[in-house]
Amino acid sequence: MGLFIVLLGAPGVGKGTQADLISRELHLPHVSSGELFREAIKSKTPLGVEAQGYLGRGELVPDSLTIAMVRERLQRPDCANGVVLDGFPRTIEQAKQLDGILAESGAAVNLVPYIKAETATLLKRLGGRWTCRNCQTVYHVLYNPPREPGKCDACGGELYQRADDTPETHRRRIEVYLDQTAPLIEFYRQRRLLVEIDGEQDIQTVYGQLLAAVQRVAREQRIGAQRCIGCGE
Ligand code: ADP
Ligand code: ADP
Ligand code: ZN
């Protein structure tokens, strides 16, 4: 059974922040494709070397590379009971392939919370984002500051600004999102998996609405699981 959640929304809307909160609550792995790429770049693996230019320019890494990387991650045992996906899928092709990967173990996407905000909001959020080098917790200079400037509340690690957090790449990433990722909104709406959440609200309010949506789906799943697969009784 399990609970497979895909967080959808533009760069800077708060997917990583919310994925972190909800994955802790549900004890499910938080799988961020952006983070997997950044790890590969740091370790200079062949994938990292190949992906680096795309991240630097704010372009999408080609589907073949991205899908292979995420497939490998999802096939690890810790993902058997579900996962919170953040930043994947970003194209229709990735979404179709994700269905295939999950189907191999009898699973499927259960819920797609779509977090929405204005472009001006996204730019303000991206512009003030600081990330922990050690545990990847995300902060914002104004909206979610650490207790001590430059230092992670969770682990004491050093905070840094991502190499692709520059004004030019921000604009490019939002364009790429509108062009290649926004079609997923209709893709998942048609499958009745989409739940829209107003991302203009503060972090805790967004989280409350996300959690409510997840609990609703989890409840439906439990009820579904008690029914006979053959006759529905
Ligand atoms: P994404 O993963 O969608 O790119 P992040 O979770 O990294 O977004 O958030 C982008 C920035 O905005 C971070 O600095 C984060 O602290 C901040 N942020 C996230 N959600 C909110 C919110 N609801 N209100 C204000 N700031 C937010
Ligand atoms: P953000 O949190 O700002 O949305 P991410 O960390 O999710 O950024 O992604 C950073 C970069 O990694 C993207 O701009 C892109 O180059 C690459 N990337 C991440 N996920 C994908 C994906 N699913 N498909 C293609 N490229 C991706
Ligand atoms: Zn940390």
Side-chain angles (χ1 to χ4, degrees):
M1 249 335 185
L3 199 49
F4 293 83
I5 300 168
V6 168
L7 286 182
L8 192 60
V13 79
K15 299 180 301 297
T17 302
Q18 297 296 333
D20 196 40
L21 294 169
I22 199 84
S23 65
R24 277 171 213 269
E25 172 72 28
L26 302 172
H27 304 284
L28 292 176
H30 170 186
V31 174
S32 154
S33 42
E35 198 43 52
L36 293 173
F37 282 127
R38 282 187 288 279
E39 278 169 21
I41 291 170
K42 206 162 98 187
S43 331
K44 300 195 169 67
T45 65
L47 172 71
V49 171
E50 216 165 324
Q52 188 156 22
Y54 295 98
L55 271 85
R57 293 191 298 277
E59 309 279 346
L60 295 189
V61 179
D63 281 342
S64 55
L65 289 176
T66 306
I67 292 162
M69 173 184 77
V70 174
R71 166 190 287 277
E72 192 276 327
R73 179 68 189 88
L74 291 178
Q75 284 171 343
R76 289 196 222 154
D78 64 329
C79 294
N81 290 325
V83 58
V84 182
L85 276 164
D86 156 21
F88 183 93
R90 261 173 154 98
T91 64
I92 296 278
E93 178 59 21
Q94 290 179 15
K96 289 182 178 163
Q97 296 281 339
L98 174 63
D99 283 347
I101 295 168
L102 295 179
E104 285 167 19
S105 53
V109 175
N110 303 112
L111 178 69
V112 181
Y114 162 43
I115 313 177
K116 259 202 311 204
E118 302 287 336
T119 300
T121 305
L122 303 175
L123 291 172
K124 278 189 246 170
R125 290 187 185 170
L126 290 168
R129 172 162 67 187
W130 287 75
T131 308
C132 175
R133 231 182 248 294
N134 181 45
C135 75
Q136 277 70 50
T137 299
V138 171
Y139 297 87
H140 191 282
V141 276
L142 300 176
Y143 310 138
N144 184 26
R147 282 194 294 272
E148 229 182 285
K151 206 167 153 185
C152 176
D153 292 351
C155 77
E158 180 206 3
L159 303 187
Y160 80 109
Q161 278 191 298
R162 276 167 40 184
D164 60 344
D165 272 343
T166 66
E168 302 78 61
T169 23
H170 288 160
R171 295 220 164 258
R172 181 68 195 130
R173 275 151 65 198
I174 293 170
E175 272 171 24
V176 166
Y177 167 80
L178 293 173
D179 186 40
Q180 302 190 52
T181 308
L184 289 178
I185 300 166
E186 273 316 306
F187 179 91
Y188 285 121
R189 201 195 310 275
Q190 281 171 10
R191 285 163 177 70
R192 303 191 177 284
L193 293 169
L194 202 78
V195 172
E196 292 191 31
I197 298 179
D198 176 7
E200 297 284 344
Q201 310 172 97
D202 64 34
I203 292 173
Q204 284 308 321
T205 308
V206 172
Y207 180 58
Q209 297 181 0
L210 172 63
L211 186 60
V214 168
Q215 284 168 339
R216 215 161 33 237
V217 169
R219 209 162 36 236
E220 283 164 15
Q221 282 236 348
R222 273 199 301 277
I223 295 166
Q226 285 161 4
R227 292 208 182 113
C228 168
I229 295 167
C231 69
E233 282 292 317

